[in-house]
Amino acid sequence: MQTSEKSVDGDGPSHPRGYSVLSLLAAAAGRHSWPRAWRSRPPRGAYDAVIVGGGGHGLATAYYLARNHDMSRVAVIEKGWIGGGNTGRNTTIVRSNYLLKETATFFEFSLKLWEGLSRELNYNVMFSPRGVVNLFHSPQEREALLRRQNAMILNGIDADVLSLDQLRRLVPALDTSGGARFPVAGAVIQRRAGTARHDAVAWAYARGASNLGIDIIENCEMLAIETQAGAVSAIETTLGRIETTKIGVAASGHSGQIAAMAGFRLPIETHLLQACVTEPIKPFLDCVVSSGTLFVYVSQTAKGELVIGGRLDGCNSFSQRGDLAVLEENLSNAVTLFPRISRLRIMRQWAGAVDMSMDGSPILGPSPVPGLYLDAGWCYGGFKATPAAGWALAHVIANDEPHPIAAPFALSRFAEGRQISERAAGPRPNAH
Ligand code: FAD
């Protein structure tokens, strides 16, 4: 702390970055009002487009509508608060380690956007390419992962195999003793993959969109969709009626309800996916470790907490709590991988309502109702899709034509029997 300089507001010694001690104390005491990062306003009567859902996908869509397509007479309506859905509930893994051409192309496009996102939005989203490690425990799993690694390389995506010795050096805390029920035999790593700060992503896109003229309206739920001659003409919300001929749906677990408002069904079920964090400990894990056999994955936050996630709860629900039995199973699997964490306490546990599509891939593009565009079915893995999903949804809203990276994910694929199932292509190394 420098004490010789006067602060910017002249009320005492200043921090090298320009904050005075008094202003920091005032902020800590809640008496400092930070400027709002985005404008908040009641809805106008009409917009060129309305985005339903103020998670990362909806906010990114609004940002790219303004940035890429000069459309700023746009509102994002959010029934709760910005980032309060799955965007603020996920385990923040960002990767593009997919087998199939369609998914690999889409998620690699997204990863490239992640790599420049903090600079693009002038906001630190804490993207941390710390590597995502997928363990193999059996010869079959090794074969499946090596096939995936080869496919990734053919698709121009980085992927390396780790021998048991290399794995031991990278993740010393992992139980590689061979005495486990499913002994670890090696791994595949995507080094450019990693994590990002989920809330910051929502806030950054919200600020970016707001700066480009988009209206961000919280506590505003869409209740009904009006059509004229079969096409979207207006919506009814808890804050009144809004005229618009274009709606982008980025409502994750609530996509099915919104499709019902428009009079059709989506091949989507809403399930709970839960996660938890332990008390913070000294840094001991600097990559994400995932086991497809045990269906669990573990990473460590900058604060020192271990983030642990695993399988779906397996029942349809919109609650955001999660079942104790699944938590117990996820934890016991994490302890199998890392026996030394067995005495850590769990600090928080939560769940999100995720939109599970029938083939595990998203639905991104036009819907059967003209003017209604879908961004749904992200299952376990839509956080990493945030920039690309926003990019592609903005494209289809602006041009009424799917973006090339999103074209394979049309809703019509289910009627045509053209599923994009990573699962059908072989055992999946992880789901998140
Ligand atoms: P959300 O952030 O859920 O935003 C949708 C918004 O729509 C919500 O805020 C909701 O309130 C609003 N809404 C709904 N209905 C209406 C309405 N009628 N009117 C107005 N607003 C409405 N993905 C990864 O890539 N990596 C991971 O590691 C990962 N881990 C996960 C772990 C857990 C526990 C969970 C639950 C999910 C995980 N995911 C992960 C998935 C990821 O979180 C989601 O796919 C992604 O966040 C979806 O973003 P979104 O913006 O579409 O949805």
Side-chain angles (χ1 to χ4, degrees):
M1 176 77 67
Q2 291 177 349
T3 50
S4 55
E5 285 177 26
K6 282 297 270 182
S7 71
V8 279
D9 44 1
D11 61 357
S14 75
H15 186 273
R17 279 201 315 229
Y19 301 118
S20 73
V21 173
L22 287 183
S23 69
L24 288 174
L25 285 174
R31 282 189 280 111
H32 183 99
S33 57
W34 300 101
R36 285 188 66 91
W38 58 87
R39 281 175 304 112
S40 186
R41 54 155 298 131
R44 298 169 211 265
Y47 288 97
D48 292 338
V50 173
I51 311 301
V52 182
H57 287 220
L59 294 162
T61 303
Y63 175 76
Y64 292 120
L65 271 174
R67 177 200 187 271
N68 294 353
H69 306 284
D70 281 335
M71 278 181 72
S72 55
R73 246 183 108 238
V74 172
V76 178
I77 62 166
E78 165 53 52
K79 71 175 180 171
W81 67 95
I82 292 304
N86 291 343
T87 296
R89 294 169 182 274
N90 70 82
T91 46
T92 78
I93 301 168
V94 173
R95 61 185 173 88
S96 62
N97 55 355
Y98 282 81
L99 174 72
L100 301 177
K101 182 84 184 164
E102 297 89 340
T103 32
T105 305
F106 183 89
F107 285 105
E108 179 60 13
F109 182 88
S110 203
L111 184 55
K112 291 206 168 105
L113 290 176
W114 278 108
E115 287 169 341
L117 201 58
S118 292
R119 180 175 307 194
E120 164 73 25
L121 298 171
N122 188 25
Y123 200 115
N124 186 3
V125 299
M126 295 173 70
F127 174 58
S128 164
R130 57 185 60 189
V132 170
V133 173
N134 290 119
L135 305 175
F136 51 82
H137 302 258
S138 64
Q140 293 79 357
E141 204 173 12
R142 179 178 177 278
E143 284 307 304
L145 270 170
L146 262 51
R147 181 172 170 231
R148 182 174 298 253
Q149 181 232 0
N150 278 309
M152 286 169 67
I153 290 168
L154 289 174
N155 283 323
I157 300 171
D158 68 302
D160 291 315
V161 179
L162 297 176
S163 68
L164 199 52
D165 277 347
Q166 289 170 315
L167 187 58
R168 282 190 183 116
R169 282 198 293 278
L170 184 73
V171 194
L174 190 68
D175 180 6
T176 51
S177 62
R181 180 159 173 234
F182 299 106
V184 176
V188 168
I189 182 170
Q190 184 183 17
R191 294 182 202 277
R192 286 167 54 240
T195 56
R197 172 74 201 275
H198 46 12
D199 299 320
V201 175
W203 300 333
Y205 273 122
R207 189 181 71 171
S210 175
N211 286 345
L212 294 176
I214 307 283
D215 287 350
I216 294 170
I217 305 160
E218 292 171 277
N219 300 310
C220 178
E221 179 173 3
M222 181 168 81
L223 302 171
I225 297 173
E226 289 177 27
T227 55
Q228 261 179 20
V232 164
S233 59
I235 62 171
E236 197 59 53
T237 77
T238 44
L239 297 184
R241 185 171 178 275
I242 302 174
E243 288 182 8
T244 185
T245 54
K246 289 174 185 252
I247 305 172
V249 180
S252 63
H254 296 85
S255 311
Q257 292 176 325
I258 289 175
M261 290 178 201
F264 63 93
R265 281 190 72 184
L266 284 176
I268 280 180
E269 284 186 8
T270 299
H271 282 263
L272 291 187
L273 181 64
Q274 60 172 295
C276 64
V277 288
T278 66
E279 60 189 315
I281 53 172
K282 282 196 290 189
F284 96 122
L285 182 62
D286 61 2
C287 56
V288 180
V289 174
S290 174
S291 163
T293 294
L294 293 168
F295 220 112
V296 70
Y297 61 96
V298 186
S299 66
Q300 188 168 20
T301 67
K303 270 195 283 184
E305 301 162 336
L306 298 187
V307 183
I308 300 170
R311 70 170 176 86
L312 283 181
D313 272 25
C315 53
N316 304 127
S317 172
F318 290 101
S319 86
Q320 292 174 315
R321 288 189 299 272
D323 188 357
L324 183 60
V326 176
L327 174 66
E328 210 174 0
E329 186 182 323
N330 292 344
L331 292 176
S332 102
N333 288 332
V335 170
T336 302
L337 293 181
F338 298 102
R340 69 177 67 173
I341 67 172
S342 66
R343 298 183 68 184
L344 287 183
R345 280 169 296 196
I346 299 301
M347 300 279 283
R348 295 185 302 284
Q349 175 271 356
W350 65 90
V354 292
D355 39 343
M356 304 300 293
S357 66
M358 293 300 107
D359 61 357
S361 291
I363 298 168
L364 188 46
S367 79
V369 176
L372 186 75
Y373 304 92
L374 301 170
D375 166 75
W378 291 98
C379 304
Y380 307 83
F383 177 64
K384 69 180 108 74
T386 303
W391 189 285
L393 184 60
H395 181 98
V396 66
I397 291 173
N399 302 304
D400 207 21
E401 208 165 81
H403 189 282
I405 58 159
F409 302 107
L411 175 61
S412 57
R413 75 177 184 274
F414 293 98
E416 294 158 4
R418 210 172 28 79
Q419 273 84 339
I420 305 173
S421 171
E422 291 271 320
R423 196 173 211 176
R428 61 189 165 163
N430 79 356
H432 300 89

